[in-house]
Amino acid sequence: MNTRSPRTAGRLRLMTVLAAAGALMAGFTTTASATPTAGHGKGNVTKVCGTAKAHQARCLAELRTDVHGGKGVRGAAAGMAGAAAALPQGLSPADLRAAYHLPATGGANQTVAIADVGDDAAAEADLAVYRSTYGLPACTTANGCFHKVNQRGAATPLPPDQGWGVEIALDLDMVSAACPQCKILLVEADSASFDDLGASVDEAVALGAGEVSNSYGGDEGGDVLSSAVHYAHPGTAIVASSGDYGYGIPSAPAVFPSVVAVGGTSLTKAANTRGWTESAWSGAGSGCSAWIDKPAWQHDANCPGRMVADVAADADPQTGPAVYGTVDGLTGWGVVGGTSASSPYIAGVIALAGHPQKFADASAFYTDHSGLFDVTSGTNAERMDCGGDYQCNGVAGYDGPTGWGTPNGIGAF
């Protein structure tokens, strides 16, 4: 990977923008999961993970605090007439499948890994409730579909709970929603350090994952560049959330050139031909790298470095998916968003299509994006304005918040 100093000639205007963004972000303190925050103009959102320490990442899940409904429907009852009346709030797997024109089957030979921090002791049991509620096939340790390991690939000992339980539930549910027939590997890192998370990604690949989703991030910079090697695995699709702070400093690992950076949208039902409308989500991370050279396959006009993001899916907690969990502040059904939702969903779509070898990087989307919905409205310039161009606004063609767009079937994957 080529890197460049932030003082490289011709980057002065960019660095002025990024410095201002950094100052804004430094003044925006994330909160622990028990404390609501005015998430992107809304007072009904809690950021699941608190502020990250130096050389550490934070998870990017955002939990709605005003949604506490839906008991779910278990087992065979999920397929019975009238079951929909008991379904929880939030988008269902069927909603997302309809919105993105995805097939109901595929990916049976794929294993999607998610790298998270700490143990969620209820992960398998909570996943069972989610999948049975929506009539998805069981995914358990017993039937060989679900596996949970530590960052060394062993079933024991598992690390202690570190407050990422809602994130883990979201990741498991979104992979399930996108690819119900895929196997799922949960790799639990010892800590949120980039060293431990990177080791978890390496282990996921060693254990045979075709796709690895990383729903976390930290500001790019010299202290995280050494971690890039852990996110470069040709033959495996490494996917990461673009971040939840809107336009500004790009998030690692999404900014690494070997990673598919997943931005976010607001997705709502509509009376149009598609049946849905989609715009750039105000929180979706985007930005122009001051450290990493632009890959040869990326050609946007106003950023001389790596530009984030590449592709997107629903991430707005106001239009987010239903998630089931019983740990770390989620006591049953809730609605959870953030680009922590879009990253595992896109990993699942890649698995559904069954060609992870296409995604040693994101170049495939830049070569042919005809199989994506172009998102042409919305902005993520809440804290920082990009001067009105594509870096922080949904526009025709490529833009920072949504990349080339969202899935329209599996043709682009």
Side-chain angles (χ1 to χ4, degrees), residues 23-248:
L24 282 169
M25 291 178 187
F28 181 78
T29 303
T30 56
T31 60
S33 60
T35 306
T37 180
H40 312 293
K42 303 291 185 179
N44 63 343
V45 174
T46 293
K47 293 182 180 299
V48 169
C49 290
T51 305
K53 298 177 182 178
H55 199 66
Q56 290 195 349
R58 63 178 296 276
C59 76
L60 296 164
E62 299 200 0
L63 174 65
R64 289 270 298 276
T65 59
D66 60 338
V67 176
H68 306 284
K71 297 180 180 179
V73 184
R74 306 186 184 211
M80 295 181 179
L87 292 178
Q89 294 185 57
L91 298 182
S92 69
D95 289 330
L96 293 167
R97 187 166 61 247
Y100 293 128
H101 296 179
L102 299 179
T105 59
N109 64 337
Q110 297 291 306
T111 296
V112 182
I114 58 173
D116 279 304
V117 175
D119 182 38
D120 175 2
E124 184 172 356
D126 289 346
L127 178 63
V129 174
Y130 178 86
R131 293 177 71 106
S132 64
T133 295
Y134 291 114
L136 306 181
C139 187
T140 66
T141 302
N143 70 12
C145 174
F146 178 76
H147 298 277
K148 181 170 70 170
V149 299
N150 62 27
Q151 69 182 57
R152 289 159 290 278
T156 59
L158 295 171
D161 178 5
Q162 297 186 39
W164 283 45
V166 177
E167 175 64 63
I168 293 172
L170 173 64
D171 290 345
L172 294 174
D173 292 356
M174 289 303 92
V175 171
S176 299
C179 189
Q181 293 183 307
C182 286
K183 297 179 176 64
I184 302 176
L185 171 64
L186 169 59
V187 184
E188 297 181 332
D190 293 345
S191 77
S193 74
F194 276 94
D195 291 337
D196 285 340
L197 283 164
S200 298
V201 174
D202 292 338
E203 188 59 37
V205 176
L207 292 174
E211 302 80 17
V212 184
S213 176
N214 305 276
S215 292
Y216 54 84
D219 288 351
E220 71 166 3
D223 62 332
V224 299
L225 290 179
S226 61
S227 302
V229 64
H230 299 295
Y231 299 88
H233 293 279
T236 302
I238 309 297
V239 180
S241 303
S242 71
D244 291 353
Y245 290 107
Y247 172 69

Side-chain angles (χ1 to χ4, degrees), residues 195-413:
D195 291 337
D196 285 340
L197 283 164
S200 298
V201 174
D202 292 338
E203 188 59 37
V205 176
L207 292 174
E211 302 80 17
V212 184
S213 176
N214 305 276
S215 292
Y216 54 84
D219 288 351
E220 71 166 3
D223 62 332
V224 299
L225 290 179
S226 61
S227 302
V229 64
H230 299 295
Y231 299 88
H233 293 279
T236 302
I238 309 297
V239 180
S241 303
S242 71
D244 291 353
Y245 290 107
Y247 172 69
I249 299 172
S251 178
V255 72
F256 297 150
S258 58
V259 172
V260 175
V262 184
T265 66
S266 300
L267 177 71
T268 56
K269 292 183 179 180
N272 57 20
T273 302
R274 179 184 171 189
W276 300 82
T277 60
E278 210 164 10
S279 60
W281 174 47
S282 62
S286 71
C288 179
S289 178
W291 294 87
I292 298 174
D293 285 332
K294 182 170 289 299
W297 38 265
Q298 202 173 42
H299 304 290
D300 55 297
N302 297 333
C303 169
R306 165 74 159 122
M307 185 71 200
V308 171
D310 302 312
V311 69
D314 182 39
D316 185 350
Q318 307 304 325
T319 67
V323 172
Y324 186 85
T326 57
V327 290
D328 298 329
L330 183 58
T331 55
W333 288 100
V335 173
V336 189
T339 51
S340 275
S342 53
S343 176
Y345 195 79
I346 289 296
V349 175
I350 292 172
L352 188 67
H355 306 292
Q357 68 278 1
K358 289 176 57 177
F359 298 100
D361 53 37
S363 59
F365 296 121
Y366 294 76
T367 301
D368 181 8
H369 37 269
S370 59
L372 298 171
F373 286 114
D374 191 8
V375 181
T376 61
S377 63
T379 182
N380 66 352
E382 277 197 342
R383 296 178 177 85
M384 188 73 208
D385 188 9
C386 65
D389 76 1
Y390 69 91
Q391 294 189 48
C392 67
N393 294 290
V395 299
Y398 178 82
D399 59 69
T402 70
W404 284 106
T406 60
N408 180 6
I410 58 174
F413 298 87

